[in-house]
Amino acid sequence: MATTRTATTHWKGALLDGSGTVSLETSGVGTFDVSWPSRAEQANGKTSPEELIAAAHSSCFSMALSHGLAQAGTPPQAVDTTADVTFQPGEGITGIVLSVRAQVPGLSAEEFQKAAETAKANCPVSKALAGTTISLKAELLS
C-alpha cells in the first residue's frame, strides 16, 4: 500500500532577505524556520532543504541496511548513519556522503561493506537523489 507524506512551506519576501517556515504536516512533529542564510551560510538555529534531505537520507539508508542485514540472517544490534549534504550556491547540491557505523555480530568487514553498498544503491531516497554523487563510508564495529 502506498503512503504519501506531506510538508508545507510558507515563505515571505525575496530569496535573500526573506524567510519562512516548513511544517511536517503528516507527523505533526514540528514547524521549523528556514532562510537563505541558514541554507547558504550558517544555520543559526534554522534548518534548510539540505538538512531535511540529510535527515531523510540517513534514516532511509539505516532502514534499508537493517532490513538487508536481517534478510541475510545477520540482524544488526545498532546502525548509526550520518548524511552530509553539500550545497553550493549557484550550483545546488554537489554531493552526499553517507557515513555508517554498525554492530553486526557474525559479519565480516567485507560482507558489511557489500551490504552497505547494496543499501546505498537501493534505499528509496538514494534512488530519488540519483542525480547527485552519493559516497559511502562504512565501518563495522566489534
Side-chain angles (χ1 to χ4, degrees), residues 28-138:
V29 298
T31 298
F32 306 94
D33 293 331
V34 294
S35 69
W36 176 254
S38 70
R39 185 177 195 184
E41 299 165 15
Q42 295 298 316
N44 293 322
K46 298 178 182 178
T47 193
S48 68
E50 291 72 29
E51 184 177 35
L52 297 169
I53 289 170
H57 205 177
S58 66
S59 59
C60 181
F61 173 83
S62 291
M63 288 184 216
L65 179 58
S66 177
H67 180 67
L69 290 167
Q71 292 289 76
T74 54
Q77 288 181 340
V79 174
D80 294 297
T81 305
T82 300
D84 294 311
V85 177
T86 301
F87 173 75
Q88 178 63 47
E91 291 182 48
I93 294 173
T94 58
I96 299 170
V97 176
L98 293 171
S99 299
V100 61
R101 296 175 60 164
Q103 293 176 318
V104 189
L107 200 66
S108 71
E110 294 78 24
E111 291 168 320
F112 178 68
Q113 184 69 39
K114 183 178 177 183
E117 291 288 348
T118 299
K120 180 185 84 130
N122 293 309
C123 118
V125 173
S126 288
K127 288 181 176 184
L129 299 171
T132 193
T133 301
I134 302 170
S135 304
L136 176 66
K137 298 176 185 176

